[in-house]
Amino acid sequence: MHRIRSAARIASAVKVKPSVVLLELGGNDGLRGIPLKTTLDNLDKMIVAYKAVGAQVVLAGMSLPPNYGPDYIKGFEKIYKDLAVKHKIKLIPFLLADMITPDLRYF
């Protein structure tokens, strides 16, 4: 599996010409309070680049702990939904949903 950790390294990742990509970036952006537009733009660029080499992209969404505030959290989660619609790709709404049970969930 070829892993990419940032939009800056997308060129090396698309050289592999993957057939399927599970794109699960953005969580650290949210935890750092990066502007939502920056996260959206970076994910958008990655999706476009992977689709350009023929990859089927599945976008894995994230959420954030409640201390980030409802407005930021809603905007953050909306990034994934909007990009899935825009690019007509599959979305996993919250990648960790099966791992974080209601009694452990702090998101």
Side-chain angles (χ1 to χ4, degrees), residues 71-87:
D71 292 340
Y72 187 78
I73 293 169
K74 286 178 188 174
F76 182 80
E77 292 173 350
K78 189 175 182 305
I79 289 170
Y80 299 96
K81 295 171 189 170
D82 290 351
L83 288 173
V85 169
K86 175 183 177 181
H87 293 287

Side-chain angles (χ1 to χ4, degrees), residues 18 20 23 25 36 47 52 54 59-60 64-66 68 72 74 77 79-80 84 100 106-107:
V20 177
L23 184 56
L25 259 53
L36 297 175
I47 294 166
L59 185 59
L64 298 169
Y68 285 81
Y72 187 78
K74 286 178 188 174
E77 292 173 350
I79 289 170
Y80 299 96
I100 298 179
Y106 64 94
F107 289 97

Side-chain angles (χ1 to χ4, degrees), residues 22-73:
L22 174 60
L23 184 56
E24 46 96 24
L25 259 53
N28 285 337
D29 288 5
L31 292 173
R32 291 182 186 131
I34 300 292
L36 297 175
K37 174 105 170 77
T38 301
T39 301
L40 181 132
D41 289 346
N42 286 338
L43 284 167
D44 187 65
K45 287 176 191 174
M46 290 181 217
I47 294 166
V48 168
Y50 280 121
K51 288 183 81 175
V53 297
Q56 177 184 349
V57 178
V58 177
L59 185 59
M62 271 292 149
S63 188
L64 298 169
N67 60 306
Y68 285 81
D71 292 340
Y72 187 78
I73 293 169

